[in-house]
Amino acid sequence: MPPQLPDTQVIETAGYADLAGNKEALKDASTVFMVSAAESSDRLEQHKAFINAAGAAGVEHIVYLSFQNAAPNATFTLARTHWHTEEHIRQSGMKFTFLRDSFYQDFLAGLAGDDSVIRGPAGRGCVAAVARTDAAAAAAQILLDPAAHAGKTYTLTGPQALTLDEVAQIISEETGRSVSYHNETVDEAYASRMAWDVPDWQREAWVSTYTAIAAGELEEVTTDICDITGREPLSLRELLRRTR
């Protein structure tokens, strides 16, 4: 039997950039589960402030929800922030565990627009998307015994890597909505997203969601979900059937 979670309560709340507030909120915590802040131009600065606060509060171990193939030169621009966040945690001296999850299957299921078309420059690239519930289950299991996972990096994926044509087909079969995939060029992708009044960094993140798939940076399938939780991860088809 796994160890039982202790009774918990929220002591303090603070934004990630609130150094003093987070230091107070974390003063009695030995292990912290860190989910990335909301997407913003200063997200890395927020992350660093939170990590600094955790270290100052005496936190011993950070379990960080990162991203598959996080790297300083990752095609998906937001994956670069995850890599720099990991580096800051490494340099902090605290113990760490990194959970690098792929895109969420729940996210893929909502990619189609009102016209039931998924548009983006992903080509024939594949993505090994993972269900949110499986990523959460892995995180919960690690938090039951964080010391056993100190210094480890896991890549959390679903059981298969799919092209967006295959994603569209599965969505169509499981929901009854006729969904298709249109492979945009990169120029078309930027042009089609000009309809939204957003900063350049956000538009680039949207487009690089697809170009990262095209580059093959999200096609790796691992057994980490099963290794951590003891059960196989959900497929996109199974997820849609559960939520139908």
Side-chain angles (χ1 to χ4, degrees), residues 133-150:
T133 185
D134 285 327
Q141 191 65 37
I142 286 170
L143 291 169
L144 288 170
D145 186 13
H149 304 274

Side-chain angles (χ1 to χ4, degrees), residues 21-75:
N22 282 308
K23 185 177 177 181
E24 175 64 23
L26 301 174
K27 65 182 180 181
D28 295 320
S30 60
T31 301
V32 168
F33 179 46
M34 180 182 174
V35 179
S36 56
E39 294 175 10
S40 66
S41 60
D42 67 341
R43 180 159 73 162
L44 179 57
E45 287 69 30
Q46 291 186 52
H47 285 181
K48 288 182 175 180
F50 180 79
I51 295 162
N52 293 343
V59 171
E60 299 172 0
H61 191 153
I62 291 184
V63 179
Y64 176 60
L65 190 64
S66 187
F67 191 77
Q68 185 176 13
N69 274 327
N73 59 347
T75 300

Side-chain angles (χ1 to χ4, degrees), residues 10-26 50:
V10 175
I11 301 172
E12 300 281 349
T13 60
Y16 269 9
D18 183 354
L19 181 61
N22 282 308
K23 185 177 177 181
E24 175 64 23
L26 301 174
F50 180 79

Side-chain angles (χ1 to χ4, degrees), residues 186-204:
V186 172
D187 287 342
E188 287 173 338
Y190 277 105
S192 65
R193 286 153 181 80
M194 291 300 292
W196 288 270
D197 183 18
V198 298
D200 290 343
W201 68 263
Q202 188 167 6
R203 193 173 289 110
E204 186 177 4

Side-chain angles (χ1 to χ4, degrees), residues 8-198:
T8 60
Q9 65 182 45
V10 175
I11 301 172
E12 300 281 349
T13 60
Y16 269 9
D18 183 354
L19 181 61
N22 282 308
K23 185 177 177 181
E24 175 64 23
L26 301 174
K27 65 182 180 181
D28 295 320
S30 60
T31 301
V32 168
F33 179 46
M34 180 182 174
V35 179
S36 56
E39 294 175 10
S40 66
S41 60
D42 67 341
R43 180 159 73 162
L44 179 57
E45 287 69 30
Q46 291 186 52
H47 285 181
K48 288 182 175 180
F50 180 79
I51 295 162
N52 293 343
V59 171
E60 299 172 0
H61 191 153
I62 291 184
V63 179
Y64 176 60
L65 190 64
S66 187
F67 191 77
Q68 185 176 13
N69 274 327
N73 59 347
T75 300
F76 180 46
T77 56
L78 300 184
R80 302 170 193 173
T81 300
H82 285 290
W83 184 85
H84 286 291
T85 300
E86 289 182 1
E87 284 300 293
H88 197 69
I89 293 172
R90 286 189 181 98
Q91 294 167 11
S92 73
M94 287 179 281
K95 298 175 184 176
F96 62 85
T97 305
F98 299 141
L99 305 182
R100 291 180 168 182
D101 58 9
S102 183
F103 284 126
Y104 291 125
Q105 293 172 5
D106 320 57
F107 164 73
L108 295 185
L111 280 180
D114 293 339
D115 59 357
S116 297
V117 179
I118 300 172
R119 287 184 168 82
R124 294 293 299 169
C126 295
V127 56
V130 64
R132 280 194 178 101
T133 185
D134 285 327
Q141 191 65 37
I142 286 170
L143 291 169
L144 288 170
D145 186 13
H149 304 274
K152 295 183 179 180
T153 298
Y154 298 102
T155 298
L156 307 183
T157 75
Q160 59 189 151
L162 301 169
T163 67
L164 291 191
D165 279 313
E166 291 170 327
V167 168
Q169 180 180 350
I170 291 170
I171 294 172
S172 299
E173 292 171 353
E174 294 301 326
T175 69
R177 179 189 182 192
S178 182
V179 173
S180 62
Y181 168 59
H182 172 64
N183 181 34
E184 293 180 310
T185 66
V186 172
D187 287 342
E188 287 173 338
Y190 277 105
S192 65
R193 286 153 181 80
M194 291 300 292
W196 288 270
D197 183 18
V198 298

